[in-house]
Amino acid sequence: MEKLFENLNEDQRRAVECIDGPLLILAGAGSGKTTTIVSRLAYLIDHVGIPAVNTLTLTFTNKAAKEMRERALRLISSDTYPPLLCTFHKFGLLFLKFNIHLLGRENNFVVIDTDDKKKILKKINSELPLQLLASEISRYKNSLITPDEAYRQAEFFNYQQIAKVYEEYETYLKENNLVDFDDLLALTYDILDKNPELASAMSQKYQYIMVDEYQDTNELQLMLLKKLCSEHKNLCVVGDDDQSIYGWRGAHIRNIIEFDQDFENAEVIKLQKNYRSTNQILKVANTLINHNRGRLGKELESTRGDGEEIMVLNSGDENEEARKIAKNIQKLVDSGVKHSDIAILYRVNVLSRSLEEGLNRAGINYKLVGGLRFYDRAEIKDLVSYLRVMVNVHDDFSLKRIINKPKRGIGKASIEKLELAAHASSKSIFEYIESSTVAELEALVKKKNTATLKKFVEDVRFVAESAKRSMYDFIDVLEETFHIKDIYKNTPDEVEKTLNIDEFYGMFRDFVKNNPEAELIEFLNDISLQSDQDEVEGESIFMMSIHAAKGLEFGHVFVVGLEEGFLPIVGEGSDLEEERRLGYVAFTRAKDTLTLSHAKSRFYKGRRSELEKSRFFNEAGLCEGSLKVEKSASFKKGDLVRHKIFGAGRVIGVGKSGKEYKLTINFGGTKREILASFVEKL
């Protein structure tokens, strides 16, 4: 047993030895949560004597499950039956194989992937946006909403149509004995809910349950866990409320915040020793996240010493920012730092374009994680194809890409017929359409398509001529004539696609501004140098969104776009507390150095915009001059707290006392005013 505990700190050891009843291990970034989980599992099996088959450990990704399984098996005696350690969805799959007959279905069902799902939905309805259909049906299933309930809830015609597609989709799955990804949990819950005896038996089988990344669970996963814990309360969840950044995909932070309400008499153990980052990095991360009120509260403390101060880069625009970052990265590389130990993080993918160009110019290899390079994105390729046709109407390759974007009713078969006819006439497709009579075109395509094609070539000529009159206005004429943004209207990624298009438009205007005598062909040649980058070889730095960086760590981290509107995103629909958590996640990816960058202006929605410095500089205590950031109240009315002398009490008021917060607390009928730093949350 001593070997098991030799690498654990006091709090980790307490978490390992706390085996009965509900337990929340609040594990800060870099605090060794995986070590704690696998040690606790080994302790249960090898030292307490719990049979491995009576344990269940759940996580979210196959990668995490694999790592935890390998580490756990190294700690557990080899003659022990291996415990079940898998993702939520793998557990659902195993459960359904044995129990789906209770829904009147065969257990030889097939699990379909996302592409299969989309093909089925497209077959049912090809008019509604495919991504919208897929995401709404997924939302219904994760909220346990049946097609009938979806009908009743539908306020708008579009959602009535979605409910109808949902009903037909469900019928198709049942008739063909298919199960989609969401069904793995939704059907599992349905069976347990309709069969209390089975739910009781499952709970008796899995007497000790652990859940990793609990802050990422949704409502359905919580309900499923309650079923599995119906006969006992031995549920241990591990997570960090400060790293809950997936609200947009259904994760519910209330699951971890209100764990003690869902599972009574829960114990909370905080892992606050950080083995990853220096104190300088943790200081700004802690100071920033302390401004969130919807959190359980903890303070990370480094085991690695003070470290280097946080560097702040102030730039006039995104191009200057890219140059400075490239220069700093080159310094790190020259000092012996590996490329792979350096990362650039951003809140929105649109910021990658100027960074890519800056790194290309500096000759620094990079890998874009979880996304396409700016010039490889479909919407940018569409725009480049439009511009190429404006320069050369005989470019059949580019013309075929855009002739039906946005949709003009010109299908694949029509394009093939036009291409064959043009080839037979020794003409380009554009030239053939322009020179052919209406009768000649009607012999190939439908009558309405003939008028569409004639209008298309006229519009191309008109927009191409506008470039000769004014290159700066050309991009507005292009959008007003062809409505390229409409390609992505009413799709789930409409906002991001539109931002990328606006970024391209802004980049074009910037080129014209800096090269007033340049022609369209020169702009195309200029960007071809950026987009046709040689295949990256050898070591590369990493560029990615903050979401993609969660769970990773790097020696040196650059966080860009720290401006109001980019980090944090502000306005209707945004959640400022989740934005702070994103900032916290970004800061705590860094081990040795952290650089925070902001620009005074950027291209945004097709125009150069003056930007305000992110409030996070202020909130993290990084403002220049004498301005100091006051610690915000992490307590609110109704919170349960403990005082080392007065015991437990409930907060009934929050006020200020100088730079501290003063709490009015009811201790068993006696009201006292106490400074916030002298109590802890329960």
Side-chain angles (χ1 to χ4, degrees):
M1 190 185 297
E2 283 311 309
K3 187 181 177 184
L4 182 68
F5 287 134
E6 65 183 3
N7 294 319
L8 302 180
N9 63 42
E10 187 181 337
D11 292 324
Q12 289 172 328
R13 182 168 181 151
R14 278 179 56 222
V16 166
E17 292 179 312
C18 181
I19 59 170
D20 290 325
L23 168 66
L24 167 60
I25 302 174
L26 198 62
S31 63
K33 73 177 177 66
T34 304
T35 298
T36 307
I37 295 171
V38 296
S39 298
R40 189 175 187 274
L41 183 59
Y43 179 77
L44 282 168
I45 295 168
D46 273 0
H47 300 286
V48 180
I50 305 300
V53 292
N54 294 135
T55 69
L56 172 64
T57 306
L58 299 170
T59 186
F60 278 85
T61 67
N62 290 320
K63 182 183 174 186
K66 182 174 181 287
E67 182 194 346
M68 287 167 64
R69 191 180 305 112
E70 288 171 353
R71 289 178 63 174
L73 291 176
R74 285 198 293 269
L75 289 173
I76 299 168
S77 59
S78 57
D79 57 344
T80 303
Y81 188 84
L84 182 54
L85 198 164
C86 60
T87 65
F88 270 95
H89 291 88
K90 179 65 180 291
F91 173 77
L93 174 63
L94 295 171
F95 178 85
L96 291 179
K97 285 289 182 186
F98 289 100
N99 299 291
I100 200 168
H101 66 277
L102 295 171
L103 295 175
R105 295 176 61 170
E106 299 295 322
N107 71 349
N108 62 343
F109 60 85
V110 173
V111 182
I112 60 171
D113 61 21
T114 305
D115 285 340
D116 295 328
K117 177 180 178 179
K118 287 181 177 178
K119 283 173 187 171
I120 296 167
L121 290 172
K122 191 172 183 180
K123 193 175 177 182
I124 295 170
N125 186 309
S126 60
E127 298 301 316
L128 288 168
L130 203 52
Q131 276 294 108
L132 179 66
L133 273 176
S135 61
E136 282 303 300
I137 288 172
S138 180
R139 183 178 68 82
Y140 288 144
K141 291 193 177 191
N142 279 284
S143 301
L144 298 173
I145 295 171
T146 65
D148 285 344
E149 288 169 320
Y151 266 123
R152 287 196 292 273
Q153 290 181 13
E155 294 181 15
F156 304 105
F157 178 65
N158 261 9
Y159 280 85
Q160 290 169 2
Q161 286 181 300
I162 292 170
K164 186 174 186 300
V165 173
Y166 179 26
E167 183 180 45
E168 290 181 40
Y169 173 69
E170 286 294 272
T171 301
Y172 183 92
L173 293 187
K174 288 172 189 171
E175 286 176 351
N176 293 276
N177 203 21
L178 303 174
V179 166
D180 69 18
F181 195 65
D182 298 307
D183 285 331
L184 295 174
L185 296 187
L187 295 181
T188 294
Y189 178 82
D190 193 26
I191 291 169
L192 291 173
D193 192 47
K194 289 174 179 173
N195 298 272
E197 288 182 5
L198 176 60
S200 175
M202 290 297 293
S203 183
Q204 287 171 25
K205 178 180 180 180
Y206 297 115
Q207 293 176 15
Y208 289 87
I209 298 173
M210 286 198 288
V211 182
D212 187 25
E213 302 287 7
Y214 189 67
Q215 76 280 349
D216 295 335
T217 54
N218 61 21
E219 185 182 359
L220 175 55
Q221 286 156 337
L222 170 62
M223 292 167 71
L224 189 55
L225 287 170
K226 285 183 174 180
K227 291 289 182 189
L228 293 173
C229 292
S230 59
E231 296 299 311
H232 60 80
K233 297 301 174 190
N234 300 327
L235 173 66
C236 167
V237 303
V238 187
D240 184 0
D241 55 326
D242 293 332
Q243 295 187 72
S244 177
I245 58 173
Y246 294 112
W248 51 275
R249 73 177 187 197
H252 212 316
I253 192 172
R254 60 92 37 217
N255 288 3
I256 192 166
I257 295 286
E258 299 179 8
F259 180 76
D260 61 337
Q261 294 178 33
D262 294 325
F263 302 93
E264 289 181 3
N265 302 316
E267 177 139 5
V268 179
I269 296 175
K270 298 177 182 181
L271 305 186
Q272 299 179 105
K273 275 188 168 40
N274 177 285
Y275 297 92
R276 177 189 299 157
S277 309
T278 64
N279 261 326
Q280 293 280 2
I281 293 166
L282 295 183
K283 182 182 175 184
V284 296
N286 286 331
T287 307
L288 172 66
I289 204 64
N290 272 338
H291 285 73
N292 271 5
R293 297 189 67 184
R295 65 189 293 258
L296 295 168
K298 63 183 179 308
E299 197 84 5
L300 291 180
E301 181 184 340
S302 176
T303 59
R304 298 190 56 222
D306 212 32
E308 293 186 30
E309 287 189 9
I310 308 307
M311 181 185 286
V312 176
L313 290 183
N314 306 301
S315 303
D317 61 22
E318 69 276 16
N319 298 316
E320 183 186 344
E321 175 185 63
R323 285 194 300 272
K324 286 181 177 178
I325 287 174
K327 186 179 178 182
N328 280 287
I329 288 173
Q330 193 60 58
K331 278 184 186 175
L332 288 170
V333 171
D334 290 343
S335 71
V337 173
K338 286 185 176 180
H339 285 71
S340 57
D341 209 20
I342 303 169
I344 302 175
L345 309 181
Y346 36 76
R347 171 70 176 90
V348 289
N349 288 320
V350 72
L351 295 184
S352 76
R353 194 271 305 170
S354 57
L355 294 164
E356 289 179 60
E357 293 188 354
L359 294 173
N360 283 337
R361 280 192 292 268
I364 297 171
N365 289 345
Y366 65 90
K367 287 179 183 172
L368 205 59
V369 178
L372 291 169
R373 294 173 185 270
F374 185 77
Y375 293 105
D376 289 339
R377 291 168 180 155
E379 62 273 24
I380 303 305
K381 285 188 169 184
D382 291 340
L383 279 166
V384 171
S385 294
Y386 263 102
L387 267 56
R388 284 176 176 162
V389 170
M390 299 299 153
V391 168
N392 176 18
V393 294
H394 306 304
D395 180 351
D396 282 356
F397 178 78
S398 297
L399 185 114
K400 284 192 291 181
R401 184 179 180 96
I402 64 168
I403 199 167
N404 199 40
K405 288 184 177 180
K407 287 184 178 178
R408 301 181 177 93
I410 315 296
K412 193 177 178 182
S414 295
I415 295 170
E416 286 173 357
K417 287 177 185 177
L418 287 168
E419 189 172 20
L420 286 171
H423 183 73
S425 305
S426 300
K427 294 176 180 177
S428 66
I429 297 174
F430 186 94
E431 191 179 11
Y432 180 80
I433 296 169
E434 193 172 41
S435 62
S436 295
T437 64
V438 171
E440 286 171 331
L441 286 174
E442 284 181 357
L444 294 174
V445 298
K446 294 174 184 175
K447 188 175 181 180
K448 65 174 183 178
N449 288 349
T450 298
T452 301
L453 288 168
K454 285 290 187 183
K455 176 75 165 55
F456 174 71
V457 296
E458 285 173 16
D459 286 345
V460 168
R461 290 290 189 196
F462 170 74
V463 176
E465 281 298 316
S466 76
K468 295 174 185 175
R469 292 191 299 273
S470 168
M471 275 279 282
Y472 193 83
D473 294 333
F474 161 77
I475 215 76
D476 290 322
V477 177
L478 177 77
E479 179 60 39
E480 287 164 10
T481 304
F482 291 111
H483 307 288
I484 296 164
K485 292 179 187 176
D486 287 355
I487 300 170
Y488 304 101
K489 213 162 195 177
N490 298 320
T491 63
D493 51 4
E494 178 184 0
V495 173
E496 184 165 344
K497 298 285 189 187
T498 303
L499 277 174
N500 288 333
I501 289 170
D502 285 333
E503 173 78 3
F504 184 89
Y505 288 167
M507 183 180 68
F508 180 87
R509 291 191 184 94
D510 196 44
F511 175 84
V512 174
K513 189 177 176 182
N514 294 323
N515 304 274
E517 303 301 318
E519 296 181 1
L520 199 50
I521 185 65
E522 292 172 65
F523 173 74
L524 285 169
N525 289 339
D526 187 66
I527 65 170
S528 70
L529 297 175
Q530 303 292 344
S531 54
D532 296 335
Q533 185 193 23
D534 294 334
E535 189 67 30
V536 172
E537 293 180 2
E539 277 275 303
S540 303
I541 69 159
F542 293 98
M543 285 174 57
M544 67 191 82
S545 70
I546 298 169
H547 283 102
K550 186 171 177 291
L552 302 177
E553 60 182 33
F554 303 92
H556 310 273
V557 171
F558 295 79
V559 184
V560 302
L562 276 154
E563 302 100 26
E564 293 292 295
F566 286 101
L567 182 62
I569 288 177
V570 291
E572 191 178 348
S574 66
D575 179 346
L576 189 55
E577 297 222 340
E578 182 152 319
E579 294 296 311
R580 277 197 197 95
R581 293 194 290 270
L582 278 160
Y584 176 84
V585 167
F587 295 178
T588 54
R589 297 313 92 200
K591 295 194 287 186
D592 301 315
T593 69
L594 174 64
T595 302
L596 307 179
S597 175
H598 75 94
K600 291 179 182 176
S601 75
R602 292 185 192 276
F603 276 120
Y604 184 61
K605 296 187 176 178
R607 293 279 187 274
R608 181 160 291 284
S609 301
E610 296 297 315
L611 300 169
E612 287 183 47
K613 202 172 181 178
S614 171
R615 70 188 72 187
F616 291 170
F617 282 105
N618 185 316
E619 294 181 354
L622 288 167
C623 278
E624 298 167 5
S626 60
L627 178 63
K628 300 293 180 188
V629 182
E630 296 173 349
K631 183 175 178 179
S632 72
S634 59
F635 298 92
K636 59 184 183 299
K637 196 173 177 180
D639 283 345
L640 281 172
V641 295
R642 178 186 285 118
H643 187 271
K644 60 186 177 184
I645 295 173
F646 302 122
R650 188 175 295 278
V651 176
I652 57 175
V654 181
K656 289 294 293 294
S657 178
K659 291 184 180 180
E660 254 277 30
Y661 277 82
K662 178 175 64 178
L663 307 178
T664 304
I665 305 170
N666 184 345
F667 293 100
T670 304
K671 294 178 185 178
R672 299 181 186 273
E673 290 188 341
I674 305 285
L675 292 176
S677 56
F678 285 81
V679 297
E680 63 174 356
K681 273 188 184 178
L682 284 173

